[in-house]
Amino acid sequence: MKNKLLLFILSCFLSLSLKAQLFSHHNVASQLSQPKETAVADIDGDGNLDIVVPEFSSSTITVLYGTGDISNYTKVTYPLVNPSLNIDEKPWAVVVMDIDGDSNKDIIYSNYANSGSTTDGVYWIQNTGNRNFGSSQLIRLFPRCRHISKANLDADPEDELIVAGDNDGINNLQALNLTQTGGYSSSVLTSVNGTYKRPLHVSHGDLNGDGNLDFVVSAFGNNAVFEGFIVRLAPNYASNFSLSDPFNNLTSGPRQTDLMDFDEDGDLDVVSVDYYGGKSSIVAYQITPSPFASAFYFQLFETNNSRGIVSVTAGDFDNDGVGDFIVADIVTDRILFYENTATDNVPAASINFNPFVNISTSVIDPTWVISEDLDADGDLDVIVSNNNGGTANQGFISVLENNAATLSTDEIEVERISTITSDTDVTILGMPSTVTNGSLYDINGRLVRKGILNTQHNHFSIDGLQPGIYILKLSTLNTSFKIVKQ
C-alpha cells in the first residue's frame, strides 16, 4: 500500500512538473510605466504579431514589434499628444482596428484619468505606416472609461466598440458604431445602474446559439453589492438589449471574465475572477444556452483563498482538446495554470480542474494576462503585464512561451516510458511509435552499441557488455535513460 501511495504521489509530482515545463519565461520589455490591458495584432504588416501596451502613468503607448523570435521584440514608444488636453492621459485598455479604411491598423485606447467627463473617454491614434502614429484624437468622452473591446454586432463587415465605464451612473455600458473619421454614428447598449454598478470588463460570445453576440459583464458594484451578469444581445443591437439573471454567486468583486467551452458540450461557458478585500476566488460556470432561465448556470469550479487573482485567460494550453485557464496573482507574484481534466461529453458535474501549477516565478505585481499564439507553432502563449508596484518606468512585459507542442511529442511521452534491465537486454515499456532505434553510450560518452527499436521490437541487447553504467538514447526523443548492468 505504501509503495502504491508513493507511486501515486510521484506520478502527481511528475505531472505537475511537466505542466510547469510547458512554459518558458521571457522578459521582453522593461522600463514601462504601469502597463495595463494589452492587445496583440500585426501592426506593421510584416507577418509577425506585435504587442500593444498602454502605459497608464506615463501618457504613452508602447508597441513591441515582433521579430520572428518570441523572446525578442523591438520596442517603440508613442507619446499620447493631444493639444486639447491640459493633463496627461491615462491609457488603460487598447484595441487595434482600421478606423479610417487605409488598410493600416490604428490603435484605440480608453483614457481612465478619473476626471469625469472632462478627459475620460475613448481616443485613437492613426497609423500612418512605417511604424508611425499621429496625434491622439477624441472619439467620445466617457466618464471613468475603463475597459474597451471590439466585436461585430451587426451585419456590416466593421467591428463596433464595447465600452465599460467604471461608474455608478446610467449609460455606463455602451456600444459605439465608428465612422471612418473617428466619430460614431450610434452609442447605445444598456444602462448598468442600480444593482449593476461599475462595469470593469466585458467578454462576448454567442452564449445561446442564436447567431448573435451576448456579453458577460464584470460589475464590481457599490455599497457591498458585487455581481456579474449577462447582457443578451438581440439582432438589432442599436435598440434591443436585455439583462438576464445575474451571477448571484459572484459576491467578492468580479474583475474579469473569459469564455471557453470547458465541458465540451458545444456551448460557451464562463470563468470569472473576483478580488476584493485582499481575498480572491475563481468560479467557472456552465451556461444553459437557451433560454436564459432563472437557473441558467451550473457552477463547475470554485476556489476561495487569500491570494489576489485579478486577471484570467482561457484556452487549451496543453493541447489535450479541452479548455483550461490561467490567472494572474498580484499578491504572490505568480502566474497560475489550472488544467481541465474533462473529456468529450463528460457530464458537467464531473468536470475537475487540477490544483494550480505555478508556471512563472519571475513576475512582479502581474495585473493582466492574455493568450495568443505569438510564434504560430499551434499552441497558446501568455502575455503578462507586470506593474512592479506601480513604480514609474519599472514595469515590464513578460511572455510565457508555450512548449506544449514539443511536450506532447517528447517530455509527455517520456513520462510514460519505463525500462527493465536483465543480464542480456533492456526492455523499453511505453515506447512511442516514433522511436526507430536506440544508441547506448558508456559512462565516458563513447558509443558502444546501436540497435533497431520499435513498438513490436522493444528489446535492446546488452549481452556481452561489461558490468557498469550506460546511457541509452532513443531516436526522436530529446532525453536519455540510465542503464545499470550487473
Side-chain angles (χ1 to χ4, degrees), residues 414-433:
V414 168
E415 182 190 4
R416 302 171 182 154
I417 297 176
S418 60
T419 60
I420 301 174
T421 304
S422 68
D423 292 338
T424 59
D425 58 28
V426 178
T427 302
I428 300 100
L429 304 177
M431 186 169 56
S433 59

Side-chain angles (χ1 to χ4, degrees), residues 393-406:
N393 298 319
Q394 294 299 313
F396 58 99
I397 296 294
S398 300
V399 168
L400 306 184
E401 179 183 2
N402 192 345
N403 304 304
T406 302

Side-chain angles (χ1 to χ4, degrees), residues 32 34-39 51-54 92 310-311 328 330 335 363-370 382-388 395-399:
L32 300 174
Q34 291 186 273
K36 296 299 184 182
E37 299 183 8
T38 57
I51 304 172
V52 186
V53 185
W92 187 279
V310 293
S311 182
I330 196 172
I335 305 300
V363 297
I364 304 175
D365 287 351
T367 57
W368 188 253
V369 287
I370 60 173
V382 180
I383 302 100
V384 185
S385 298
N386 296 272
N387 193 45
N388 202 359
F396 58 99
I397 296 294
S398 300
V399 168

Side-chain angles (χ1 to χ4, degrees), residues 115-184:
S115 58
S117 59
T118 305
T119 61
D120 286 7
V122 185
Y123 296 79
W124 70 296
I125 52 176
Q126 182 184 27
N127 185 349
T128 58
N130 298 316
R131 299 186 177 181
N132 295 313
F133 283 86
S135 298
S136 177
Q137 303 178 58
L138 174 67
I139 294 177
R140 186 191 172 181
L141 294 175
F142 200 91
R144 291 176 62 88
C145 186
R146 179 81 74 115
H147 177 75
I148 56 173
S149 60
K150 63 180 181 179
N152 196 311
L153 305 181
D154 52 18
D156 67 21
E158 283 76 34
D159 287 333
E160 285 71 49
L161 281 181
I162 312 303
V163 185
D166 175 15
N167 64 81
D168 298 335
I170 63 172
N171 298 323
N172 52 13
L173 186 63
Q174 298 188 5
L176 305 182
N177 191 353
L178 302 182
T179 66
Q180 287 194 352
T181 59
Y184 58 94

Side-chain angles (χ1 to χ4, degrees), residues 426-443:
V426 178
T427 302
I428 300 100
L429 304 177
M431 186 169 56
S433 59
T434 55
V435 173
T436 59
N437 61 77
S439 301
L440 195 68
Y441 299 83
D442 65 16
I443 196 65

Side-chain angles (χ1 to χ4, degrees), residues 290-313:
S290 182
F292 290 142
S294 58
F296 66 90
Y297 62 85
F298 176 84
Q299 187 169 304
L300 300 173
F301 170 86
E302 181 176 18
T303 179
N304 292 282
N305 49 60
S306 60
R307 296 189 299 272
I309 306 298
V310 293
S311 182
V312 62
T313 182

Side-chain angles (χ1 to χ4, degrees), residues 201-240:
H201 182 267
V202 182
S203 297
H204 47 76
D206 184 4
L207 293 175
N208 59 347
D210 64 355
N212 302 302
L213 289 179
D214 309 295
F215 300 148
V216 179
V217 183
S218 304
F220 191 76
N222 194 20
N223 298 324
V225 177
F226 309 105
E227 297 187 64
F229 62 95
I230 286 179
V231 176
R232 184 175 179 180
L233 178 58
N236 181 8
Y237 83 94
S239 62
N240 192 350

